[in-house]
Amino acid sequence: MEEISGNPVSDFDFAQLRRFPDIEAENLFAHDATDELILREAEQALALAGHGEVAIVGERYGALTLATATVHGLHGLRVQQDGLSGENALAANALRAGLRESYTSMPLSAELFDRVKVVLWQLPRSLDEVAEVAELIAAHANPQVQIIAGGRIKHMTLAMNAVLAQHFSAVTAGRAWRKSRPLLINGPVNDGTAPSFPRREFHADLDLWLCAHGATFGGSKVDVGTRFLLEFLPQMQPQTSFAIDLGAGNGTIAAALAKARPDIHVTATDQSAAAVASTTATAAANGLADRIEVVRDDALGTFADESAELILLNPPFHIGATVHAGIAHKLFIAAARVLAPGGELWCVYNRHLDYRSALDKLVGPTEVVGRNSKFTVSVSRKS
């Protein structure tokens, strides 16, 4: 990648960064041009910032954090990452660079922004996520906070500027570079209203409230593939008293299963902090908090071998903005390890993906039990 010349950030070796333990492949990268552009635009603000006055939002694998610590010598950096695999990758990259003590990983919260003066922000694609972050910064950061944000141009829209303008008096687009563009944001507008997240929506056909924080895939809606999978709840391991909702999202599957089968205790797990918070809120909203345990976990890493008889999964078919089957296969392998002999993995996936052969190989004999114009539902039994 072409460097940004004449700027101290060019002295940082981005090539040292790895995505591991997240999926690694030739078309998946540990940093991009947006990281470098944000750091260039933030040079003056970071030079004037003190220790503990900088928050980094939407960090990927450590580019913003470790370059800031290296180039500007700052510590006490507050870093938010939605994905646990990204947190673990940052920790590994920081350890190799001798910078593990330079930052603290924090959830998206008021504490993350309390009195901070500089925010570096890898902009998300979701407008709801933009709104939740903007709302928190405006309410809790220093009134003179400088926000240096950036994103890939193809994912940035005028609607994003309109959302930001609800919370800040000045939103200025900077010069594009390598298909990325910075936004310089300041003048927080805090009207004292209560936080609007998590948002909630009642779905009469399921008799469920669904709650969602901004970064949760699908928001408070019912994913159409998930809706198809729910038709098969009565057929799933009728004797079991424990099930895992792998990749819980907003908690639809966990809540529907717990509601339909009162004898089952559900552990809902997701590597996304937003999904974990959303599922927790969904369980509480439906009076199911005593029967749904929610765990932030990457690919069942904290679950014992052969400890479950039933796992439900609606696997993602993309990593970030890149279509990639690697994450689905990673989850299939994890489910195979955690399933007890005779245990069942129920999946729903886009019909064109045809995961049956992979499930046969990685989990066990797989049967297609449902198919419509868009989705396939399968059950794999652990040999």
Side-chain angles (χ1 to χ4, degrees), residues 10 55 85 131 144 191 193 197 201 203 218 223 231 287 301 324 330 357:
S10 62
S85 59
Q144 279 72 52
D191 59 8
T193 57
F197 290 88
E201 182 176 349
H203 296 269
D223 176 78
E231 295 180 16
H324 200 286
K330 177 180 177 179
S357 59

Side-chain angles (χ1 to χ4, degrees), residues 40-75:
R40 180 184 70 174
E41 296 291 337
E43 181 191 1
Q44 184 175 358
L46 291 173
L48 298 174
H51 301 303
E53 295 180 345
V54 178
I56 298 171
V57 185
E59 175 68 291
R60 308 293 175 80
Y61 301 97
L64 295 175
T65 303
L66 301 182
T68 296
T70 299
V71 174
H72 297 279
L74 289 170
H75 58 76

Side-chain angles (χ1 to χ4, degrees), residues 16-22 24 60-63 65-66 81 84-101 103 105:
Q16 70 181 298
L17 300 175
R18 289 191 58 189
R19 295 170 57 97
F20 182 83
D22 204 353
E24 294 188 304
R60 308 293 175 80
Y61 301 97
T65 303
L66 301 182
Q81 296 168 275
L84 183 56
S85 59
E87 277 190 25
N88 292 336
L90 168 56
N93 286 324
L95 187 63
R96 285 192 296 272
L99 294 169
R100 187 61 187 87
E101 304 304 316
Y103 75 94
S105 289

